Amino acid sequence: MADDIAKDLDNAKIVQANINDSRSQYMPVAQTGATLFFAMFGLSAVCETYQYSLGAYTEVFCKALSEAKKDSIPVNRILNMKKEIQKGVYNYTTTGIFEAHKLMFSFHMTTMLMEQDGELNRAEYEFFLKGNISIEENANKKTAAIEWINDAGWKDAQTVGNLGEAWKRFTDDLMGDATLWKEWYDVEKPELKPLPGDYATKLNSFQKLLVIRMLRPDRVIYSIKEFILEKHGHVEPPVLKFSSILQQSSEKNPILFILSPGADPSGELLKFANAKNFGNKYKALPLGKEMEQQAQSMIDGGVVKGHWVMLQNCHLVLSWLKELEGLIEDKMNRPHADFRLWLTTSPTQDRSFPVGILQRSLKVVVEPPEGLRQNIKTMYEKIDDARLSNCKHPAFKDLVYVISFFHAIIQDRKNFGKIGWNVVYGYNESDFTISLDLVSMYLAKAMANKEDTIPWSTLRYLIGEAMYGGRVTDDYDRRVLMTYLNEYMGDFLFDKNQPFFFSKAGYEYIIPTCENHEAYVKYLEQLPSDSNPEVFGLHTNAQIISNTVKAKELWMDMLKTQTSTVEVVKGQNREEKIEQVAKDTLSKVKVVFELYKIREKLGGAVLPTQAVLMQELERFNILTSFIQVNLVDLLKALKGEIAMSGDLDELSTFLYNGFLPKTWRELTPQTEKSLARWMTHYTMRYDQYSTWIDKGEPIVMWLSGLHVPESYLSAHIQIACRAKLWALDKSTKITEVTEWASPADVKAKPELGCYITGLYMEGAKWDMLGQTVIKQAPKELIYEMPVIKIIPIEANKVKLRNKLVTPVYVTQGRRNPKGEGLVFEAQLTTKEHPSHWVLQGVCLVLNIDQQSPSQHQ
């Protein structure tokens, strides 16, 4: 008996060992699953609606395991399982995140898997995301041969040699083989070309990303796509289909649509419900004040009867969502198998949307279609032959196409960022439909009255100011909108001597002659899938600006997903790095100005400009004192002398990543600069204030260095009104671009008004010889303006003939939805019609971002 027991125990040990061996073979699958969960979990730092529970992830993980291709060879089986998990997690996650974050997530997945497998060089990875975050100025100046490299890229190149043997001679080789590198730089798609010299073989595909960052940041997005395809191949998210959403969903979990401006899935969902014979069971309710009880009743009935309940605009009843969370917990444990709860919301802030609902829901992001062709096709899907023929006026079909093209243009222009629109607007189907109704009505009226003319001005006003324009909050965006309508609507549409076309940039965009709806749809299939920026009236450089901004946003989002674990990079851990940056920054912080002594120096009667100086110094002192206290407290916390508060921990993260801390940003003029570039700007501001105090008001004011630059300009208008006895409320200012390229060339102040410097032009270029606005050169994105003269004048004497009224913004972020960012309007001479530059998004800015690919001085 005892021998049998001993024998059974020995056999059990053998079986256990075999089980452990078999299980250990599948450890890579478990590791991949864990890595991808944390990749997905980190997205909540990018957008608070990206919340995922372990339970929801486990379902995705198990489903991927069951769908993985079977294979008798364990190695192949494991490989199949890992691939299916990656595919399943990617598809599930990208269904619920915005288009702007999908490539970032794919890259995040890829790099985390590389790190899991020991393939990722952490120092190179950190460099790719941050670049050179040192606050020290470039020790080596650019030579004439490499003047084409932007300042930020050159600064990055100064430290890339510290990353390893492959990079030791990179800067020297860059200068030594400048001609070869310039040829590579000038290629349209350098990511597809081998690097110059032996770097083509010396650097791997990830290291090539670092070179792209330094020299062609506008191609980073495309380079990342190529890199992901090489590694794992997940760059194309699944197509949004209601059938697949229904298949993934269950009666126990809500389906949450996260909407972007202009997107509304309710109409398509109703069509899908009818197609599935659920039309009578589909119950929709737009939420609002005092609608909560009705919503609860619909859920109670739907759970029992198997209805599809759609609750729209959940973001409008945030206070009730906690109650909804409880309803979901109580009512959706054992509902009818056909029951589905559909929710829609816009993204919320400050974690106001219950995390429980977010984690439990199947999230689906709904966005308007991208691309000119797809947007026009979407509009034609909303109409049919009956709609095209309900107005008998011969111009109606052409105007339907014009309005469809107009809708697509203003919808897709947002893809060019701030040079497209200051604010993104939610243009939708109702704007298009009602505009068609207006056109149909006025054309029918013209036919009834036997009028040959079409009331273009009335139609332009109703469509541009009332319908689409009713959503527009920014005056300069409204100007762009109305310019398009002036370009697209008029008798010139039907001029047989000079046929109308929207654009000939890469393709001849015309108004097609089609008999019916089917013919229009067939014609639309011929349009290019990608449109040249010139189709929108923009310069081709707009695509470079847009791509560079997207790269910067991707880097910032990637850094947000990083955990605060102690990483050792080149022998220096996170806390050591933070301490070094904090000490370096503190060493550059200035002493506060002694305001009482300055007041004594100014004397009794204070001029308006002197009052501006005192206000500027007060703000600068508040900023300086706050930075000093902040950094001293952080250094104490790092040493353990005081507790590390949440604010100090946030400050340490900003310093570690090379960003300007949020609390400092609140006390400083608007900026998009990195910490290093901002510290340089901070020092220059201090120097100008010191010169102003010691030597009086500068002959040429560096306007970018003032906290409230408009107050300085207003002060000079006040001085002129006093001298000329003008009414202040009837006085204004105009601008005149001088022939002085440098402030040093100016020897004296003007009698009235002032000279300013520090302005940059975006969207066009200033011609010094012709003294007019001209077209940019390729890759020349920012142009530093000559000295500009501000001239006070009575408002009734302002003449704008051959002038482009140009907004002057603080940063390249232009004006935000709150209306912040505009300083004043400049009047620039132009030989072209102003509408040409309006569509090109021409503006002046006081502060340029560090990532501008090319800047002409």
Side-chain angles (χ1 to χ4, degrees):
M1 186 72 173
D3 292 340
D4 291 339
I5 293 173
K7 187 176 181 181
D8 288 341
L9 288 173
D10 290 339
N11 289 335
K13 289 179 181 179
I14 294 171
V15 171
Q16 184 67 44
N18 290 335
I19 291 173
N20 288 337
D21 288 342
S22 298
R23 184 173 61 184
S24 64
Q25 291 181 41
Y26 290 89
M27 280 296 290
V29 178
Q31 289 174 339
T32 297
T35 298
L36 293 179
F37 172 72
F38 285 109
M40 187 174 75
F41 189 77
L43 288 174
S44 60
V46 177
C47 179
E48 71 167 45
T49 53
Y50 299 166
Q51 299 280 351
Y52 299 92
S53 66
L54 181 59
Y57 178 78
T58 303
E59 289 183 20
V60 176
F61 181 79
C62 293
K63 182 181 179 183
L65 292 181
S66 64
E67 292 180 354
K69 184 179 179 181
K70 304 295 189 290
D71 199 300
S72 57
I73 302 174
V75 174
N76 293 342
R77 172 66 173 155
I78 290 167
L79 187 62
N80 293 339
M81 292 169 80
K82 289 172 70 175
K83 285 182 177 179
E84 195 62 38
I85 292 168
Q86 291 170 31
K87 177 184 174 183
V89 171
Y90 176 77
N91 289 345
Y92 174 79
T93 307
T94 53
T95 299
I97 63 178
F98 288 103
E99 191 68 34
H101 299 139
K102 288 176 182 177
L103 181 64
M104 180 276 296
F105 175 68
S106 184
F107 185 57
H108 185 43
M109 272 180 55
T110 302
T111 52
M112 286 192 71
L113 291 171
M114 287 175 63
E115 189 166 33
Q116 168 197 295
D117 297 337
E119 298 176 6
L120 187 70
N121 182 313
R122 191 72 194 184
E124 291 178 344
Y125 176 71
E126 294 273 344
F127 181 87
F128 177 65
L129 297 186
K130 303 177 188 178
N132 180 1
I133 63 172
S134 169
I135 63 173
E136 300 298 327
E137 290 295 312
N138 289 346
N140 300 324
K141 299 299 179 183
K142 288 188 289 186
T143 61
I146 56 170
E147 194 61 38
W148 45 271
I149 303 176
N150 72 74
D151 291 342
W154 180 243
K155 183 175 182 179
D156 288 348
Q158 304 302 299
T159 55
V160 75
N162 300 327
L163 296 179
E165 191 62 36
W167 300 99
K168 287 292 185 185
R169 290 190 50 80
F170 181 77
T171 306
D172 293 336
D173 292 339
L174 193 60
M175 292 188 290
D177 297 327
T179 303
L180 283 177
W181 282 100
K182 181 64 166 64
E183 289 175 1
W184 178 85
Y185 168 87
D186 284 334
V187 172
E188 183 182 356
K189 298 178 180 179
E191 69 277 6
L192 302 180
K193 297 291 183 180
L195 292 172
D198 60 351
Y199 288 95
T201 55
K202 188 160 63 173
L203 300 183
N204 60 37
S205 56
F206 185 84
Q207 290 171 323
K208 187 175 181 179
L209 292 179
L210 276 62
V211 178
I212 298 287
R213 177 198 166 97
M214 289 184 281
L215 304 184
R216 284 292 301 273
D218 61 297
R219 301 303 299 179
V220 163
I221 296 295
Y222 303 99
S223 303
I224 287 175
K225 287 181 180 178
E226 292 296 323
F227 174 73
I228 294 170
L229 284 171
E230 177 189 318
K231 287 292 179 181
H232 297 290
H234 298 297
V235 292
E236 290 297 330
V239 177
L240 180 61
K241 293 181 180 178
F242 283 106
S243 55
S244 60
I245 293 170
L246 184 63
Q247 187 179 5
Q248 292 181 60
S249 69
S250 75
E251 67 275 15
K252 295 182 179 181
N253 296 317
I255 302 152
L256 178 64
F257 290 108
I258 304 168
L259 310 180
S260 63
D264 182 6
S266 56
E268 294 299 318
L269 182 58
L270 177 57
K271 291 180 184 177
F272 179 67
N274 288 327
K276 300 291 288 186
N277 295 319
F278 267 85
N280 295 329
K281 291 186 174 184
Y282 177 79
K283 309 295 180 184
L285 178 67
L287 293 175
K289 190 175 181 180
E290 299 179 356
M291 302 294 287
E292 297 89 345
Q293 191 60 46
Q294 188 177 346
Q296 184 171 340
S297 299
M298 289 173 66
I299 293 174
D300 290 340
V303 166
V304 176
K305 299 176 182 178
H307 291 167
W308 285 9
V309 178
M310 163 69 101
L311 301 181
Q312 297 168 276
N313 305 323
C314 290
H315 57 282
L316 300 180
V317 288
L318 292 172
S319 59
W320 178 71
L321 293 185
K322 276 291 181 185
E323 190 175 335
L324 176 62
E325 185 178 10
L327 282 174
I328 292 171
E329 290 291 336
D330 295 338
K331 304 287 184 181
M332 293 178 64
N333 286 327
R334 298 181 65 184
H336 191 288
D338 290 337
F339 174 71
R340 293 293 186 276
L341 177 60
W342 310 80
L343 309 173
T344 73
T345 181
S346 292
T348 56
Q349 297 178 339
D350 304 322
R351 301 200 176 276
S352 50
F353 204 102
V355 174
I357 298 178
L358 292 172
Q359 290 187 339
R360 184 166 178 167
S361 300
L362 170 63
K363 287 174 283 297
V364 181
V365 163
V366 183
E367 297 180 274
E370 287 202 5
L372 199 58
R373 181 180 70 184
Q374 190 57 44
N375 267 294
I376 301 174
K377 283 176 65 179
T378 301
M379 290 303 100
Y380 268 83
E381 288 171 3
K382 313 297 181 186
I383 57 180
D384 53 21
D385 281 321
R387 186 65 190 271
L388 286 174
S389 59
N390 75 345
C391 177
K392 304 303 180 183
H393 196 288
F396 181 66
K397 288 182 181 178
D398 288 343
L399 286 180
V400 170
Y401 189 85
V402 167
I403 295 173
S404 300
F405 193 91
F406 165 73
H407 181 94
I409 281 283
I410 62 174
Q411 190 80 282
D412 223 38
R413 187 179 169 101
K414 70 179 185 296
N415 293 326
F416 296 97
K418 288 292 187 174
I419 204 168
W421 299 110
N422 282 343
V423 180
V424 176
Y425 304 102
Y427 305 120
N428 59 31
E429 181 185 344
S430 65
D431 300 317
F432 172 75
T433 304
I434 298 174
S435 295
L436 283 193
D437 290 341
L438 288 169
V439 170
S440 177
M441 181 179 70
Y442 275 91
L443 291 182
K445 184 178 178 181
M447 281 190 70
N449 295 336
K450 297 181 179 180
E451 296 173 354
D452 294 331
T453 58
I454 296 174
W456 294 114
S457 58
T458 302
L459 288 174
R460 285 194 294 261
Y461 178 83
L462 289 173
I463 295 171
E465 296 285 356
M467 292 315 307
Y468 287 91
R471 300 182 184 276
V472 177
T473 57
D474 185 276
D475 291 339
Y476 299 104
D477 286 344
R478 188 182 304 279
R479 184 171 69 164
V480 171
L481 189 77
M482 292 307 298
T483 300
Y484 277 128
L485 286 173
N486 288 327
E487 296 281 329
Y488 293 169
M489 297 185 76
D491 287 331
F492 50 79
L493 290 176
F494 311 110
D495 187 341
K496 295 181 180 179
N497 295 321
Q498 188 173 353
F500 173 79
F501 59 88
F502 295 101
S503 173
K504 290 186 178 180
Y507 185 86
E508 190 169 353
Y509 292 87
I510 59 171
I511 302 174
T513 303
C514 300
E515 291 298 321
N516 52 39
H517 182 268
E518 183 182 354
Y520 277 107
V521 172
K522 188 174 181 180
Y523 170 80
L524 292 174
E525 292 294 341
Q526 303 172 16
L527 296 181
S529 56
D530 295 319
S531 301
N532 190 308
E534 292 179 330
V535 177
F536 299 82
L538 295 162
H539 192 282
T540 51
N541 284 343
Q543 192 67 64
I544 298 176
I545 295 172
S546 173
N547 291 341
T548 305
V549 170
K550 287 176 182 176
K552 181 186 174 186
E553 290 172 348
L554 182 141
W555 292 324
M556 294 182 71
D557 289 338
M558 288 286 291
L559 288 169
K560 289 176 185 176
T561 64
Q562 305 301 299
T563 59
S564 58
T565 52
V566 177
E567 293 287 352
V568 178
V569 180
K570 287 295 176 184
Q572 189 177 45
N573 68 29
R574 187 177 188 273
E575 288 195 357
E576 290 171 346
K577 179 66 175 177
I578 293 168
E579 183 177 8
Q580 176 190 323
V581 174
K583 286 180 177 179
D584 290 346
T585 305
L586 187 59
S587 69
K588 292 183 177 294
V589 176
K590 305 299 181 181
V591 295
V592 295
F593 291 102
E594 297 178 297
L595 299 183
Y596 71 94
K597 289 185 178 180
I598 298 170
R599 287 193 183 95
E600 289 178 357
K601 183 177 181 180
L602 294 177
V606 178
L607 295 172
T609 51
Q610 293 173 334
V612 170
L613 171 62
M614 296 307 300
Q615 292 166 2
E616 288 284 323
L617 296 180
E618 287 173 8
R619 293 186 178 95
F620 193 82
N621 279 355
I622 292 171
L623 171 65
T624 298
S625 299
F626 183 82
I627 294 174
Q628 288 174 336
V629 172
N630 221 203
L631 290 175
V632 169
D633 285 349
L634 177 61
L635 290 170
K636 288 180 180 179
L638 290 171
K639 293 177 182 177
E641 296 176 6
I642 62 173
M644 178 69 79
S645 66
D647 288 343
L648 291 177
D649 185 52
E650 185 180 57
L651 170 65
S652 68
T653 301
F654 276 105
L655 296 183
Y656 181 69
N657 291 330
F659 297 155
L660 180 66
K662 185 164 58 177
T663 49
W664 301 8
R665 190 183 297 274
E666 293 170 355
L667 299 173
T668 193
Q670 268 185 288
T671 183
E672 296 182 344
K673 296 181 184 295
S674 65
L675 176 62
R677 291 286 292 256
W678 183 84
M679 284 304 300
T680 302
H681 186 263
Y682 168 87
T683 303
M684 291 171 65
R685 288 181 65 201
Y686 178 85
D687 292 342
Q688 176 165 265
Y689 290 142
S690 300
T691 302
W692 195 347
I693 295 165
D694 296 337
K695 299 180 181 179
E697 184 183 341
I699 295 174
V700 180
M701 179 63 70
W702 177 50
L703 202 64
S704 311
L706 301 182
H707 192 111
V708 187
E710 53 266 45
S711 65
Y712 175 74
L713 303 179
S714 297
H716 273 284
I717 295 176
Q718 291 178 33
I719 292 172
C721 288
R722 291 177 185 179
K724 297 288 188 177
L725 301 179
W726 295 338
L728 183 60
D729 61 340
K730 294 181 180 179
S731 302
T732 184
K733 57 187 173 295
I734 58 173
T735 57
E736 178 185 295
V737 182
T738 72
E739 296 181 355
W740 294 310
S742 169
D745 299 333
V746 187
K747 304 304 179 185
K749 300 177 188 176
E751 182 180 348
L752 290 174
C754 59
Y755 294 117
I756 60 173
T757 188
L759 279 71
Y760 299 83
M761 181 178 283
E762 184 176 51
K765 177 181 178 180
W766 183 257
D767 179 19
M768 286 286 286
L769 294 177
Q771 286 291 289
T772 185
V773 181
I774 60 172
K775 186 178 179 180
Q776 292 175 318
K779 297 191 182 76
E780 187 179 282
L781 310 183
I782 294 292
Y783 185 90
E784 186 171 4
M785 293 293 289
V787 173
I788 294 176
K789 183 180 181 181
I790 301 293
I791 305 170
I793 189 173
E794 290 179 287
N796 61 359
K797 295 181 179 178
V798 175
K799 296 179 181 179
L800 296 177
R801 184 178 175 81
N802 297 325
K803 296 290 183 181
L804 171 67
V805 178
T806 310
V808 180
Y809 299 108
V810 180
T811 71
Q812 287 173 279
R814 302 199 178 195
R815 188 153 66 173
N816 62 25
K818 297 178 181 178
E820 301 166 339
L822 180 69
V823 183
F824 69 101
E825 289 182 338
Q827 297 78 32
L828 304 178
T829 302
T830 173
K831 294 178 182 177
E832 297 268 5
H833 192 278
S835 63
H836 175 78
W837 306 117
V838 167
L839 294 185
Q840 295 230 331
V842 175
C843 75
L844 299 178
V845 296
L846 300 184
N847 291 293
I848 56 173
D849 178 33
Q850 65 157 342
Q851 289 300 339
S852 296
S854 182
Q855 170 194 336
H856 179 78
Q857 299 288 345

